[in-house]
Amino acid sequence: MENKITQLFKIEYPLIQAGMIWNSGWKLASAVSNAGGLGIIGAGSMYPDVLREHIQKCKKATNKPFGVNVPMLYPNLQEIIEIIIDEGVKIVFTSAGNPKTYTAHLKEQGITVVHVVSSVKFALKAQDAGVDAVVAEGFEAGGHNGRDETTTFTLIPMVKEQISIPLIAAGGIATGSGMLAAMVLGADGVQVGSRFVASEESSAHQAFKQVVVDTKEGDTELTLKELAPVRLIKNKFYQDVKELYKTGPTPEELKELLGRARAKRGMFEGDLVEGELEIGQIAGLIHDIKPAGLIVQEMMDEFIAAKQKVQSYTF
């Protein structure tokens, strides 16, 4: 299929794999790109030299387009940007910060820039900053999220109404029918995170992947809004956070409980008790761990089937 997103990224399907910390290394990104989607390396959990290695390995593993996700809060941001430019990466997704910081600089290098937002206000700011597209991510999403708790089905048409650049929907999308629904609401493509966590190529720990598969409705909750909102599986660490909230904690007390490398401990090292386990609400529909390429193909097959089903309705 061909539309604004496939033309923008020069890919086969308007399906983007999210650049998730501790999950999205070169193996996952190249697998998704080879299957016709757009694979994304998540730079947020990588030191600069590690990111360079992942980019180089991804270039060897695929001749298809792929990108890098860069959280703007990254402490080595300037170095990360220069590595991306030096290695010839052509697509960058920015998040968690001001899109004006590097958009012009990246575009001067011939790089396509996309910014992740959680509201109409920030979508308009990203458009004004000159990005080529935005990802509008609803409250259902895993990982860090918006404070307003706007759901994807509400957010997408509101953003579509206000912007003129291509729109990518994210949050609660893990199936072809979900992809179709988002596009009916105005999205030109979708970004998928949680479904790719439970893939064979994901760099997440096997124990975390299995917990994702075992997660049911109601097993996640958005919390830590005073720091950076994050959706967590309800393990012991989550319960510790919940207990601390009963005392009316300061942001400093929340930071002390969070500590350092809590997400790495949970998702990458497999500590299911004390680790931070980030996943979206859609985990309740994820029932197995399979190759990323098969996930892409199954989503597109279901998308086509769902589209045909809707077209067959008579009213």
Side-chain angles (χ1 to χ4, degrees):
M1 60 183 295
E2 186 171 326
N3 70 357
K4 293 179 181 178
I5 292 300
T6 59
Q7 292 170 355
L8 180 64
F9 299 132
K10 298 178 175 60
I11 56 178
E12 186 176 354
Y13 307 127
L15 194 164
I16 294 97
Q17 163 247 315
M20 305 163 287
I21 63 168
W22 303 116
N23 293 274
S24 305
W26 70 270
K27 289 183 180 179
L28 178 57
S30 61
V32 172
S33 289
N34 283 333
L38 180 68
I40 304 287
I41 296 172
S45 52
M46 298 179 182
Y47 290 114
D49 58 332
V50 174
L51 174 62
R52 187 185 292 276
E53 179 184 352
H54 276 259
I55 292 171
Q56 292 175 349
K57 287 183 175 179
C58 198
K59 287 191 290 188
K60 291 179 180 179
T62 183
N63 59 4
K64 304 288 184 67
F66 70 90
V68 174
N69 175 271
V70 182
M72 305 302 283
L73 301 178
Y74 201 102
N76 303 95
L77 187 56
Q78 177 65 41
E79 187 176 358
I80 289 295
I81 294 295
E82 293 311 315
I83 286 172
I84 287 170
I85 293 171
D86 185 51
E87 290 294 334
V89 175
K90 296 302 182 185
I91 301 167
V92 170
F93 281 50
T94 56
S95 59
N98 187 346
K100 288 185 177 181
T101 309
Y102 280 105
T103 294
H105 180 54
L106 290 168
K107 288 177 70 70
E108 286 170 1
Q109 305 299 319
I111 295 172
T112 299
V113 182
V114 182
H115 193 66
V116 183
V117 302
S118 59
S119 69
V120 174
K121 177 177 70 173
F122 289 118
L124 288 169
K125 286 187 176 182
Q127 179 173 261
D128 290 343
V131 302
D132 296 286
V134 295
V135 175
E137 185 172 75
F139 164 75
E140 302 95 322
H144 294 289
N145 212 321
R147 288 180 169 82
D148 296 331
E149 301 190 8
T150 307
T151 63
T152 302
F153 264 41
T154 304
L155 181 62
I156 296 308
M158 288 196 298
V159 173
K160 183 67 174 182
E161 188 178 59
Q162 296 293 323
I163 67 171
S164 58
I165 57 178
L167 170 61
I168 300 164
I173 302 167
T175 64
S177 54
M179 178 180 178
L180 177 62
M183 294 179 75
V184 168
L185 288 172
D188 300 296
V190 297
Q191 178 175 281
V192 176
S194 297
R195 173 64 270 199
F196 286 115
V197 170
S199 69
E200 292 179 2
E201 294 87 352
S202 164
S203 50
H205 194 281
Q206 187 66 25
F208 176 52
K209 295 181 188 182
Q210 188 58 49
V211 166
V212 171
V213 171
D214 295 338
T215 295
K216 303 294 188 296
E217 178 189 4
D219 286 348
T220 71
E221 186 169 310
L222 192 69
T223 187
L224 294 173
K225 286 188 177 183
E226 294 82 356
L227 304 181
V230 62
R231 180 170 295 282
L232 301 179
I233 292 174
K234 297 176 181 178
N235 64 346
K236 179 185 177 297
F237 168 64
Y238 162 82
Q239 296 298 338
D240 290 342
V241 172
K242 190 173 181 179
E243 285 299 312
L244 182 58
Y245 268 112
K246 293 179 180 179
T247 69
T250 64
E252 289 70 28
E253 289 172 323
L254 289 169
K255 287 179 183 178
E256 183 178 354
L257 173 61
L258 182 61
R260 289 181 56 82
R262 183 78 72 165
K264 178 183 180 182
R265 188 172 175 180
M267 295 184 285
F268 191 69
E269 297 177 349
D271 185 341
L272 306 182
V273 178
E274 298 291 349
E276 183 177 309
L277 307 178
E278 304 176 9
I279 205 69
Q281 288 180 329
I282 200 66
L285 275 180
I286 299 171
H287 306 306
D288 48 21
I289 300 166
K290 60 181 63 173
L294 183 58
I295 292 171
V296 172
Q297 194 56 59
E298 288 182 349
M299 282 193 65
M300 293 312 304
D301 288 346
E302 185 181 338
F303 173 87
I304 293 169
K307 185 170 178 285
Q308 291 173 341
K309 181 179 179 180
V310 171
Q311 289 173 333
S312 71
Y313 289 164
T314 56
F315 298 96

